[in-house]
Amino acid sequence: YSFSVEGDAIKVYVRVRPPSEGPALADGDQGLCLSVLSATTIRLHSKPEPKIFTFDYVANMETTQESVFSSVAKNIVESCMNGYNGTIFAYGQTGSGKTFTMMGPSDSDNFTHSLRGVIPRSFEYLFFLIEREKEKAGSGKSFLCKCSFIEIYNEQIFDLLDSASAGLLLREHIKKGVFVDGAVEQVLSSAAEAYQVLTTGWRNRRVASTSMNRESSRSHAVFTITVESMEKNNEVVNIRSSLLNLVDLAGSERQKDTHTEGLRLKEAGNINRSLSCLGLVITALVDVGNGKQRHICYRDSKLTFLLRDSLGGNAKTSIIANVHPGSRCFGETLSTLNFAQRAKLIKNKAVVNEDTQGNVS
Amino acid sequence: AAAAGSSWAAVCEKFRTARTLSAVESRKDPETEPYRSKYSARALLQEVKQQLSAAEEGGEARLLAVRRAVLEYELGVNHTDTEELSAGEEHLQRCTQLLEPHRLSPDCVSLYIQAQNNLGILWSERDEIKTAQTYLESAEALYNQYMKEDGNPPLDPSEHFMAEEEKLTDQERSKRFEKAYTHTLYYLAQVYQHLEMIEKAAQYCHTTLKRQLEYCGYYPVEWALNAATLSQYYLSKQCFMEARHCLAAASVIFSQAGQVPSAEDNEAEQDQQYLCQRKAEIARFWIKYCLNLLQSARKLLEDNIGELDPDRQLELKAQRKKEEDEKEEGRKKAVLFGTSDICDSVLAMEEKVSSVYPLDFQEAREIFLVGQNYVQEAKEFFQVDGYVSDHIEIVQDHSALFKVLAFFEEDYERRCKMHKRRIDMLEPIYADLNPQYYLLISRQLQFELANTFYEMMDLKVAIGNRLEELDSHTIKKINSLAQLAIKYYELFLDSLRNPDKVFPEELGEDVLRPAMVAKFHIARLYGKLITSDHKKQLENMQTSLEYYMFLVDYCEKYPYAVRAIETELELSKEMVGLLPARMERLRAKMYPFI
């Protein structure tokens, strides 16, 4: 086994959607809070100074679905075929074009629509590669694809392929990594089938939002495809397995109450409830110590635990940050771009326990 | 008077309804109208305010002012709850102005503190943490002044709109007052954390925990975890007495949570699971305590080559008796958790493990054993099946406990056996681990295994050096340990290669030092391999030279790397200078006539 260090940094893409139709655009650029300067830079018209952001790729309003797919996902799907894990995240405020980018036009489940998004195209490409590989290798090589689709809401895990289930647990396997215990796994034989499973699950998610008062934009959805290949060379059987995660993050405007709240003090409950955020304060105190020999519990969120490999681990990861260019969305756009900027800094932290004492003797 | 009485009763009723709407009903409001009940409560409060003004002519001025202050307070909280900060601020300010002259009297002090608390929250929402701090600190000061000058249980703000017969008992009053003040401290803990006044923040967290215990406002499991986490803060400050106290209290309070009887239904099972996990977490906090105490002691006791310094040992033993006792007594009073019965259990818990630096093997062993017990306890829950990374982390801690205990062991053979124990626990886990998902842990294990074999080899060499002559068994042992160390260092270095098996041109900062140390150690290991075959020996020297060269060349190319490996680089340079001459001499010996 050997795995790369370079290239583990998360790639960040920004896509600017066209502004909503309406009279606001009468006089040229007015009403827009940003402009795309090049294929990698974007300028936000903040005051007093405009702010320039640089990303791995910036898609302007004219960029086609095909070209977004090519730059964001193609290479991830390819490395998935080579045994790497890959993850594609979509991030952005509701209405910023996340669903359009990932799924395609919302009114159609049509898998062949010319405007279909990154996800159906990834499916097509994955199965195209599998077919090609099979033809090349003949009967010596076989593939098995399985998928699962889960939703994380309020730190609880729900199976979108089994609406009867509730409260699944995350566990780890020494050979297979992190998995959702008890999640339904469906075998896939074609891209169309994958898309079928995805849309069914997606619908479950929306149904859930009304029947159980769970708001879809407050939940994260993770669609995972496991690609297993088996190659027979004489007597030796070589099995390789990798994951492709497609993640739809909760609407960024919803993150406000948990993440980007800055200096706000956490209020104590009115009733005879304990002072619930004290633990967070203490945890922050311990973090400052920054030593290796500390223990802190309840730090991992379910999402980051599940995707630990993708966030600064041994995987190829891309984030697509979707933004709306309207000046009314300035605040949200700024925070999305800031988030995307931060995401670029995430990389593999291979901290190796090493004693500085006693090495040289 | 009767009419006035009945109308006062109506006013009180209205006030009570407003409070119920605000606190209870509002939680059931639909998402489309999140503030419906709050708005109804606000309307009622406004009405009460009107009625008070109407009654003005007959009323006593002070009484009236206080009642109005209560309403301003309620309106202030209502407005901030509904995201109207400016209006909220105005009401709260008016409340404090009305109370200003009476703020130290028993009927006003609690309300005044709560108004200040809310102003603190309000300003923090405006991102003005300094302003929030002034309000909260003045609330804190007022509490202290009141307790010093008066100290009787003060009126609860809600009592101003209550009939005489409904008024609260002194006990209830005191409870509510203390709770308001606990909130002040809790908010201050957050303020200090935001201002990065870490020490102060820790102190306020500690006090909040302490008060939660005193006034019974806590959930045992949550409290225990908070106290245990706080112990880790004290560890980072090397305050072992405080750290142990937090942990002992955590263990005692956790045991109050009790065991849920195992039932068939799913919920009870989940609760049980939750309790087991939390118990194991607390064990893990204890492990870190033992580990840190031992490691800090080692730091104090080691000489410049990392061995136990006997002079230092004697010196510290003499010093210990004198200082520690008095010093700790004073500190202890400041941090003690709990009322007398809890206190006794906590003290009993503390007695099971020392909080002073162990200075010899016997003392170190006692701490080690406590740590090892907690390792077993933690492993009961965090089994490798299901909790891979937690389980491995615990095993790594176990290995670290053995490692530091070995430092105190003077007998080299026994010390070697301790390292062998580490190998036995780490190697099988490493063999099973899939680096595709656990790359980081896999690297850590490779490196630790390599280092352990390296240490064992050094010990065998030291043992061998005491003998008249190296016997073939010892030589074989030394060589095989060296080969194993090389194997694991190479595995580590291989993990840095890219998919085309190429070693990176430039190393990332996070792996720079370990990679360099690995190269350096491999160079040394090739130098240590014992062989009577000159040709083989020459080859080993050549390999050794190449690895030393790597360090020298790399640092020439990337001068910033020098900082990370100064000592290793210096020695490498020296070896690069010496080795060719030695090899030349060896060659001359091999082929004397050429």
Side-chain angles (χ1 to χ4, degrees), chain A residues 3 83-84 172 174-175 241 265-266 273 279 293 295 297-298 309 314 348 350-351 354-355 357 360, chain B residues 124 190 219 226 232 281 285 291-292 302 386 388-389 403 432 434 436-437 443-444 495 497 499 510 571:
Chain A
F3 297 98
Y84 280 85
E172 285 178 298
I174 200 159
K175 293 278 186 220
S241 147
L265 301 186
K266 304 271 177 35
R273 168 88 195 143
Q293 301 303 345
H295 178 59
C297 70
Y298 46 29
D309 277 329
N314 171 39
N348 193 345
V351 184
E354 193 239 331
D355 260 330
Q357 244 80 42
V360 188
Chain B
S124 85
Q190 298 181 53
Y219 291 126
N226 286 341
Q232 308 295 290
E281 296 277 7
F285 286 115
L291 199 48
N292 274 278
E302 75 192 347
V388 178
S389 29
K403 185 180 181 178
D432 280 343
N434 180 351
Q436 191 177 359
Y437 298 101
R443 282 183 184 159
Q444 287 176 349
S495 81
R497 292 171 188 273
D510 36 2
L571 286 165

Side-chain angles (χ1 to χ4, degrees), chain A residues 150-274:
Chain A
I150 57 129
E151 178 185 31
I152 302 174
Y153 177 79
N154 224 348
E155 285 299 291
Q156 275 188 291
I157 300 175
F158 302 93
D159 192 342
L160 288 172
L161 302 186
D162 172 16
S163 43
S165 79
L168 297 177
L169 293 175
L170 275 180
R171 291 169 67 82
E172 285 178 298
H173 187 276
I174 200 159
K175 293 278 186 220
K176 297 180 199 142
V178 184
F179 67 100
V180 179
D181 201 4
V184 169
E185 279 195 311
Q186 214 146 311
V187 176
L188 299 174
S189 54
S190 70
E193 214 174 288
Y195 196 71
Q196 187 57 44
V197 176
L198 176 76
T199 45
T200 314
W202 199 274
R203 238 177 270 127
N204 273 343
R205 191 180 175 199
R206 263 177 268 171
V207 170
S209 73
T210 50
S211 70
M212 292 179 64
N213 201 22
R214 274 192 268 144
E215 221 180 300
S216 66
S217 62
R218 282 196 185 196
S219 76
H220 310 288
V222 184
F223 189 82
T224 305
I225 302 185
T226 317
V227 184
E228 240 176 58
S229 68
M230 198 166 72
E231 199 167 7
K232 272 194 205 136
N233 269 331
N234 303 323
E235 291 304 295
V236 188
V237 182
N238 195 1
I239 298 177
R240 231 173 15 182
S241 147
S242 52
L243 302 179
L244 178 63
N245 296 305
L246 302 163
V247 186
D248 183 37
L249 293 172
S252 56
E253 73 279 10
R254 294 294 184 188
Q255 307 291 311
K256 216 172 275 164
D257 23 289
T258 50
H259 293 301
T260 54
E261 60 190 315
L263 296 173
R264 242 184 108 188
L265 301 186
K266 304 271 177 35
E267 283 179 59
N270 315 323
I271 340 144
N272 202 9
R273 168 88 195 143
S274 61

